[in-house]
Amino acid sequence: MKILQLVHGAPPDRRGGVENSTRELSLALGERHAIRTLTFDARRSWKAGMTVETDRDGPVTLHRLPSRKPARRDPAPVRAALAALLEDRPDLVVVQHFMRFPKDLLAPVRDRGLPIVVHLHDLWWICPTWRLLDHNLEPCSGPEPSRC
């Protein structure tokens, strides 16, 4: 099976919970499946003419976009990279996290009729602190701009 994963960062430049769990899952799946990951490289800044860098982590192929310029402000390079990866016609597209990706990220995936799995690792979707905790680290009753 060909699996395309989308995640906002990957080791070695990012080592948070989502990044580490995505890596471990990818390495395990890579023993039986072809895994490609589209991610961002915090070590590189956007410059005119920059392209995706490709490297490997064991059986996993990583396609890294520079991340120093928010992709939500200029989503064209992300869309182009995703379109190129979709040409390979993956059997499944897995979104590990939407951070740094454009809001309409899944439109081309949906347009091709590809199955999509979205992991919800945290509360980034609804909470500015990602954890539904207030500034004192007490449980929050829900997002409220005046409290967040």
Side-chain angles (χ1 to χ4, degrees):
M1 177 179 265
K2 294 188 291 188
I3 301 171
L4 173 60
Q5 294 205 100
L6 309 172
V7 65
H8 60 280
D13 61 305
R14 298 209 180 265
R15 291 199 176 270
V18 175
E19 297 90 341
N20 287 336
S21 65
T22 300
R23 180 177 185 263
E24 293 301 317
L25 176 64
S26 297
L27 292 173
L29 289 172
E31 293 177 13
R32 293 187 182 163
H33 305 286
I35 309 297
R36 297 173 85 179
T37 301
L38 178 60
T39 189
F40 294 89
D41 185 346
R43 300 167 296 181
R44 296 191 307 142
S45 299
W46 281 106
K47 293 179 185 138
M50 282 195 100
T51 59
V52 175
E53 285 189 357
T54 301
D55 63 359
R56 296 197 54 88
D57 182 7
V60 180
T61 303
L62 294 154
H63 304 276
R64 298 177 190 266
L65 287 158
S67 71
R68 295 291 170 107
K69 181 178 180 182
R72 289 180 184 265
R73 288 191 206 141
D74 182 13
V78 179
R79 287 188 185 123
L82 179 60
L85 292 171
L86 291 176
E87 290 299 316
D88 189 39
R89 191 91 181 142
D91 299 300
L92 178 65
V93 175
V94 178
V95 180
Q96 293 290 344
H97 212 292
F98 277 100
M99 186 189 308
R100 291 200 177 96
F101 286 100
K103 294 177 189 175
D104 60 351
L105 171 72
L106 295 179
V109 178
R110 186 185 60 240
D111 292 347
R112 287 173 171 80
L114 300 173
I116 302 167
V117 172
V118 177
H119 290 260
L120 301 176
H121 291 276
D122 54 36
L123 299 165
W124 180 82
W125 296 82
I126 62 168
C127 175
T129 68
W130 307 357
R131 297 180 196 109
L132 281 181
L133 298 174
D134 66 18
H135 296 292
N136 297 317
L137 300 179
E138 296 293 326
C140 175
S141 61
E144 177 66 41
S146 63
R147 288 192 313 242
C148 298

